[in-house]
Structures are given as structure tokens and as C-alpha cells.
Amino acid sequence: MSSAVPAGTPALDSAALISDLRTLSSPAFAGRDVGSDGNRLAQEYIKRRFAEIDLAPFGASYLTPFAFTRPARNGEAAKTYPSAANLIGHIRGSVNPERYMVVSAHYDHLGVRDGKVYPGADDNASGVAAMLAVAAHFKKHPPHNTIVFAAFDAEEGGSDGASYFINSAPIPIKQVAVNLNFDMVSRNDNNEIFAAGTSYTPALKQVVAMAAATSSVKVRLGHDSKPAGAAPDYDWTTQSDHVKFHERGIPFLYFGVEDHADYHKPGDSFEKINPVFYAEVTRLLISAAEILDRNLGTLE
Ligand SMILES: [Zn+2]
């Protein structure tokens, strides 16, 4: 791998970052459950932000509707969702436009259960807002490869939005060199975040090391294999949308924090995020995306 790294810490519009997270986790969005009114509000919001950042759509709109059925399980009947939707935009590469990186974050969450709103601030308004910051960065610093920005629906319960994207992609999936996925990136008591996926693609270790060198956040590798004696849920390979890329043999780099006390609880609210940590992580994610873009050829 070359050491072509743009120097310095990337500039970040932290006010926009916090505003995006706050809006997506606000009461009006009611936890953004797939198929709900709050989920549709999130679609509208992300659509508007993609337009403000000036991402290019594939076709007429960022909005890519799809329907899917969740099979029956745990005593619950099968359920069909007729109006789910991903939001997809891109910035065309200036050097290798036919080679792609997909930067993804799911925008759906658990909605309202037993009368309680699950705002999903960390999971995963944080990842969506960070993805928007990465998009804004690349708009100012054009990428070498084409970068696709994907806000996936219906991650909670089975990554159906990512599945739909992979199976009906607007680009040749074989030309996707890597998936960079963000899911839960805004709070951690130990100032640390995990980067998973390097055990499958060792060349990514250097990307992570180079990005980590620019950051005050501790970046740890792991959660992408099953060491002897590890807890059954230690391996995060199947725990978010990157699994759908992994199943197609596409390298992934997933950034996320360890589960916290408010994971999948009504307490996963805006007030609990750590704005200093979150901004620093987002700078790290921008660096990682930029280093990946400059070194994408070495993953092939
Ligand atoms: Zn999530």
C-alpha cells in the first residue's frame, strides 16, 4: 500500500453534524421505524441534506423505494413492508470513476414500542450524520474513485435495505472495492471505537492505523472473528449492513462502539451522546474514507 495520505486533520462542520443527529433523533421522527411516518420524515430530511451537499442521484431521485417481507419468527407472523426506501447519492471519481466505495449508515430504528419512543440517537442517527459529514468533505476534496453514499432503511431486524441495494444496485457490484459502514459512533465511556473487518482484509489494517494516527480516539481492531472463549455475540460480522457486502465477497470496514447501557433502549437519546467524542470520531471517519479512497486499488 502506498502512503499517499492527505496531511492534517480534516475540517469538520460540527454544528451541522450535531444538528443532523439532533433532528433525526427528535420526537417528530419517533424512532424512524421502517414503514412509519417518522421514518418517512427521515427520508425527506436525508433527501434534503443530500441535495444541500449536492450529491448526484442515480436516475431521477435519491429515493429508492422497495418492498420486502420479514419471515415469521419468535411467534410473530410474517409481515410485508410495502414502502421502505434507501437514499442513494454519489460523487463521481476524478481518476478511477469505474471503481466504487460505498459509505453506508442505516437511518431506521425501532420506532415506538409499548407507547415508548426509541429515539435511536447513537443507533444510528449518529452514523447517518457522520456519513453526511464525509459526503460534505468529499464535495470539497474530490475523490479519486466514485463514492456512493447510502442511507439504508430496514437494518433493524435483518439489513433488508442493504440487501435490496446489493441485489438491485445502480452500479456494477463487482466494481465495489469496499464498504465503509457506520453504526453507533457517538458515545463511549473509554474514548474508544472499534474498526471491524480487517481480519478478512488485512490490507485494511494499515488504513485504520493511518487514520488512527490522526486521532485522539483509541481505535481498536476486533469483533470480526470468533476467538476461543469469546462471548457468542462477540463477532460483529453479521451485526449491521456490512454483512450484505461481506456475503458478496466485498471487503468491509465497519466502525462502531461497544454496546452501552442504552443500546436498543428508549434511553438512546440525543442528551446521552458525547459531542466531543462524536466530532473526533467523525474526523477519524473522514480520514479513514480519504485514506481508503487514495489506496483503494491496493484492496483488489
Ligand atoms: Zn444500528
Side-chain angles (χ1 to χ4, degrees):
M1 178 168 302
S2 84
S3 58
V5 203
T9 309
L12 172 70
D13 183 347
S14 52
L17 179 76
I18 297 297
S19 161
D20 287 336
L21 189 157
R22 185 203 295 264
T23 302
L24 288 165
S25 58
S26 64
F29 291 70
R32 310 179 305 279
D33 193 15
V34 56
S36 70
D37 289 344
N39 180 285
R40 270 183 287 280
L41 273 184
Q43 292 171 11
E44 289 303 315
Y45 183 78
I46 296 163
K47 205 162 82 175
R48 197 164 68 240
R49 294 288 291 120
F50 274 17
E52 280 171 7
I53 294 166
D54 194 26
L55 297 182
F58 291 104
S61 172
Y62 305 121
L63 194 74
T64 318
F66 64 96
F68 69 99
T69 300
R70 290 250 160 89
R73 69 178 169 202
N74 302 336
E76 280 183 47
K79 188 170 175 189
T80 295
Y81 295 83
S83 62
N86 296 329
L87 286 301
I88 312 291
H90 72 283
I91 301 174
R92 190 176 157 83
S94 59
V95 179
N96 293 300
E98 304 303 321
R99 191 162 62 198
Y100 299 89
M101 163 159 62
V102 177
V103 181
S104 60
H106 76 87
Y107 72 88
D108 68 302
H109 191 55
L110 303 172
V112 181
R113 298 183 173 194
D114 297 328
K116 288 197 179 100
V117 175
Y118 288 62
D122 189 42
D123 186 7
N124 186 31
S126 72
V128 174
M131 178 186 68
L132 293 169
V134 172
H137 173 83
F138 278 116
K139 202 63 200 180
K140 286 193 194 124
H141 306 274
H144 288 188
N145 307 276
T146 296
I147 305 194
V148 177
F149 297 92
F152 289 137
D153 201 355
E155 186 270 352
E156 304 286 3
S159 289
D160 293 284
S163 247
Y164 179 80
F165 175 82
I166 292 279
N167 293 321
S168 318
I171 55 172
I173 278 297
K174 282 196 171 138
Q175 288 164 225
V176 176
V178 72
N179 169 225
L180 179 59
N181 187 38
F182 308 150
D183 195 350
M184 298 173 58
V185 295
S186 63
R187 53 183 284 193
N188 179 264
D189 293 341
N190 301 315
N191 191 42
E192 71 180 22
I193 191 158
F194 275 87
T198 66
S199 76
Y200 299 107
T201 314
L204 289 171
K205 285 181 187 167
Q206 198 178 340
V207 172
V208 173
M210 288 158 83
T214 68
S215 181
S216 65
V217 171
K218 261 179 283 168
V219 185
R220 297 183 57 187
L221 304 181
H223 285 298
D224 50 12
S225 63
K226 287 191 179 68
D233 57 356
Y234 174 81
D235 187 350
W236 293 347
T237 302
T238 63
Q239 294 303 299
S240 182
D241 289 332
H242 51 263
V243 67
K244 298 299 171 186
F245 293 83
H246 178 65
E247 287 170 359
R248 289 296 188 96
I250 299 166
F252 73 87
L253 190 56
Y254 160 59
F255 282 92
V257 296
E258 285 279 9
D259 288 354
H260 43 72
D262 295 304
Y263 170 70
H264 282 201
K265 298 260 167 55
D268 181 6
S269 62
F270 175 73
E271 291 70 30
K272 302 271 185 67
I273 70 151
N274 179 334
V276 174
F277 174 77
Y278 182 39
E280 191 61 17
V281 164
T282 301
R283 283 190 198 93
L284 167 77
L285 301 179
I286 293 169
S287 290
E290 195 158 63
I291 293 162
L292 266 175
D293 175 58
R294 294 300 189 268
N295 295 281
L296 216 51
T298 66
L299 300 183
E300 292 171 343

